[in-house]
PDB file of all heavy atoms in Angstrom:
ATOM      1  N   THR O 165       7.677 -19.802  -0.354  1.00 98.00           N
ATOM      2  CA  THR O 165       6.793 -20.185  -1.407  1.00 98.00           C
ATOM      3  C   THR O 165       7.648 -20.615  -2.653  1.00 98.00           C
ATOM      4  O   THR O 165       7.405 -21.678  -3.222  1.00 98.00           O
ATOM      5  CB  THR O 165       5.951 -19.125  -1.870  1.00 98.00           C
ATOM      6  OG1 THR O 165       5.191 -18.675  -0.631  1.00 98.00           O
ATOM      7  CG2 THR O 165       4.925 -19.500  -2.847  1.00 98.00           C
ATOM      8  N   ARG O 185      18.584 -13.573  -4.301  1.00 97.00           N
ATOM      9  CA  ARG O 185      19.556 -12.424  -4.107  1.00 97.00           C
ATOM     10  C   ARG O 185      20.594 -12.645  -3.065  1.00 97.00           C
ATOM     11  O   ARG O 185      21.511 -11.767  -2.810  1.00 97.00           O
ATOM     12  CB  ARG O 185      18.566 -11.220  -3.654  1.00 97.00           C
ATOM     13  CG  ARG O 185      18.037 -11.270  -2.348  1.00 97.00           C
ATOM     14  CD  ARG O 185      17.439  -9.869  -1.887  1.00 97.00           C
ATOM     15  NE  ARG O 185      16.613 -10.030  -0.628  1.00 97.00           N
ATOM     16  CZ  ARG O 185      15.967  -9.023  -0.152  1.00 97.00           C
ATOM     17  NH1 ARG O 185      16.072  -7.796  -0.820  1.00 97.00           N
ATOM     18  NH2 ARG O 185      15.263  -9.228   0.941  1.00 97.00           N
ATOM     19  N   ARG O 186      20.706 -13.830  -2.458  1.00 97.00           N
ATOM     20  CA  ARG O 186      21.685 -14.148  -1.512  1.00 97.00           C
ATOM     21  C   ARG O 186      22.520 -15.288  -1.970  1.00 97.00           C
ATOM     22  O   ARG O 186      22.044 -16.287  -2.473  1.00 97.00           O
ATOM     23  CB  ARG O 186      21.136 -14.321  -0.119  1.00 97.00           C
ATOM     24  CG  ARG O 186      20.592 -13.032   0.501  1.00 97.00           C
ATOM     25  CD  ARG O 186      20.262 -13.225   1.951  1.00 97.00           C
ATOM     26  NE  ARG O 186      18.885 -13.794   2.127  1.00 97.00           N
ATOM     27  CZ  ARG O 186      18.680 -14.931   2.766  1.00 97.00           C
ATOM     28  NH1 ARG O 186      19.819 -15.511   3.298  1.00 97.00           N
ATOM     29  NH2 ARG O 186      17.575 -15.433   2.817  1.00 97.00           N
ATOM     30  N   GLN O 189      21.279 -18.850  -0.902  1.00 97.00           N
ATOM     31  CA  GLN O 189      20.201 -19.249  -1.666  1.00 97.00           C
ATOM     32  C   GLN O 189      20.729 -19.653  -3.072  1.00 97.00           C
ATOM     33  O   GLN O 189      20.170 -20.691  -3.578  1.00 97.00           O
ATOM     34  CB  GLN O 189      19.239 -18.080  -1.928  1.00 97.00           C
ATOM     35  CG  GLN O 189      18.449 -17.607  -0.693  1.00 97.00           C
ATOM     36  CD  GLN O 189      17.832 -16.244  -0.894  1.00 97.00           C
ATOM     37  OE1 GLN O 189      18.090 -15.558  -1.767  1.00 97.00           O
ATOM     38  NE2 GLN O 189      16.778 -16.070  -0.072  1.00 97.00           N
ATOM     39  N   SER O 244       2.158 -10.721  -2.750  1.00 91.00           N
ATOM     40  CA  SER O 244       1.098  -9.906  -2.221  1.00 91.00           C
ATOM     41  C   SER O 244       0.911  -8.604  -2.999  1.00 91.00           C
ATOM     42  O   SER O 244       1.771  -8.081  -3.660  1.00 91.00           O
ATOM     43  CB  SER O 244       1.242  -9.650  -0.803  1.00 91.00           C
ATOM     44  OG  SER O 244       2.471  -9.095  -0.590  1.00 91.00           O
ATOM     45  N   ALA O 264      -2.117 -13.293  -8.846  1.00 97.00           N
ATOM     46  CA  ALA O 264      -2.882 -14.486  -8.349  1.00 97.00           C
ATOM     47  C   ALA O 264      -2.863 -14.731  -6.789  1.00 97.00           C
ATOM     48  O   ALA O 264      -2.141 -15.512  -6.359  1.00 97.00           O
ATOM     49  CB  ALA O 264      -2.290 -15.773  -8.954  1.00 97.00           C
ATOM     50  N   LEU O 267      -4.333 -18.089  -3.319  1.00 95.00           N
ATOM     51  CA  LEU O 267      -4.444 -19.506  -3.981  1.00 95.00           C
ATOM     52  C   LEU O 267      -4.837 -20.552  -2.986  1.00 95.00           C
ATOM     53  O   LEU O 267      -5.700 -21.414  -3.316  1.00 95.00           O
ATOM     54  CB  LEU O 267      -3.169 -19.882  -4.828  1.00 95.00           C
ATOM     55  CG  LEU O 267      -2.936 -18.984  -6.005  1.00 95.00           C
ATOM     56  CD1 LEU O 267      -1.702 -19.324  -6.665  1.00 95.00           C
ATOM     57  CD2 LEU O 267      -4.131 -19.186  -7.005  1.00 95.00           C
TER      58      LEU O 267
HETATM   59  P1  NAP A 301       9.491 -15.211   1.803  1.00 57.94           P
HETATM   60  O1  NAP A 301       9.694 -16.541   2.495  1.00 57.94           O
HETATM   61  O2  NAP A 301       9.774 -13.989   2.619  1.00 57.94           O
HETATM   62  O3  NAP A 301      10.212 -15.158   0.419  1.00 57.94           O
HETATM   63  C1  NAP A 301      10.252 -13.943  -0.401  1.00 57.94           C
HETATM   64  C2  NAP A 301      11.477 -14.125  -1.242  1.00 57.94           C
HETATM   65  O4  NAP A 301      11.644 -12.872  -1.913  1.00 57.94           O
HETATM   66  C3  NAP A 301      12.848 -14.322  -0.430  1.00 57.94           C
HETATM   67  O5  NAP A 301      13.536 -15.198  -1.175  1.00 57.94           O
HETATM   68  C4  NAP A 301      13.398 -12.781  -0.429  1.00 57.94           C
HETATM   69  O6  NAP A 301      14.767 -12.899  -0.353  1.00 57.94           O
HETATM   70  C5  NAP A 301      13.046 -12.399  -1.741  1.00 57.94           C
HETATM   71  N1  NAP A 301      12.930 -10.933  -1.900  1.00 57.94           N
HETATM   72  C6  NAP A 301      12.266 -10.141  -1.140  1.00 57.94           C
HETATM   73  N2  NAP A 301      12.452  -8.771  -1.556  1.00 57.94           N
HETATM   74  C7  NAP A 301      13.326  -8.901  -2.607  1.00 57.94           C
HETATM   75  C8  NAP A 301      13.905  -7.929  -3.440  1.00 57.94           C
HETATM   76  N3  NAP A 301      13.677  -6.614  -3.199  1.00 57.94           N
HETATM   77  N4  NAP A 301      14.758  -8.375  -4.304  1.00 57.94           N
HETATM   78  C9  NAP A 301      15.050  -9.670  -4.534  1.00 57.94           C
HETATM   79  N5  NAP A 301      14.485 -10.666  -3.660  1.00 57.94           N
HETATM   80  C10 NAP A 301      13.653 -10.255  -2.781  1.00 57.94           C
HETATM   81  O7  NAP A 301       7.999 -14.952   1.451  1.00 57.94           O
HETATM   82  P2  NAP A 301       6.903 -16.160   1.014  1.00 57.94           P
HETATM   83  O8  NAP A 301       6.222 -16.695   2.336  1.00 57.94           O
HETATM   84  O9  NAP A 301       7.558 -17.064   0.169  1.00 57.94           O
HETATM   85  O10 NAP A 301       5.819 -15.259   0.300  1.00 57.94           O
HETATM   86  C11 NAP A 301       6.136 -14.651  -0.976  1.00 57.94           C
HETATM   87  C12 NAP A 301       5.014 -13.769  -1.365  1.00 57.94           C
HETATM   88  O11 NAP A 301       4.018 -14.559  -1.697  1.00 57.94           O
HETATM   89  C13 NAP A 301       4.458 -12.712  -0.308  1.00 57.94           C
HETATM   90  O12 NAP A 301       4.182 -11.591  -0.843  1.00 57.94           O
HETATM   91  C14 NAP A 301       3.341 -13.565   0.204  1.00 57.94           C
HETATM   92  O13 NAP A 301       2.347 -12.672   0.724  1.00 57.94           O
HETATM   93  C15 NAP A 301       2.845 -14.184  -1.089  1.00 57.94           C
HETATM   94  N6  NAP A 301       1.980 -15.331  -0.984  1.00 57.94           N
HETATM   95  C16 NAP A 301       0.975 -15.325  -1.915  1.00 57.94           C
HETATM   96  C17 NAP A 301       0.225 -16.603  -1.915  1.00 57.94           C
HETATM   97  C18 NAP A 301      -0.866 -16.652  -3.064  1.00 57.94           C
HETATM   98  O14 NAP A 301      -1.757 -17.411  -2.957  1.00 57.94           O
HETATM   99  N7  NAP A 301      -0.626 -15.892  -4.151  1.00 57.94           N
HETATM  100  C19 NAP A 301       0.373 -17.557  -1.027  1.00 57.94           C
HETATM  101  C20 NAP A 301       1.406 -17.448  -0.017  1.00 57.94           C
HETATM  102  C21 NAP A 301       2.163 -16.399  -0.083  1.00 57.94           C
HETATM  103  P3  NAP A 301      15.537 -12.882   1.063  1.00 57.94           P
HETATM  104  O15 NAP A 301      15.344 -14.384   1.589  1.00 57.94           O
HETATM  105  O16 NAP A 301      16.833 -12.384   0.862  1.00 57.94           O
HETATM  106  O17 NAP A 301      14.744 -11.973   2.019  1.00 57.94           O
END
Side-chain angles (χ1 to χ4, degrees):
T165 308
R185 70 169 167 183
R186 288 187 284 119
Q189 294 165 336
S244 50
L267 290 173

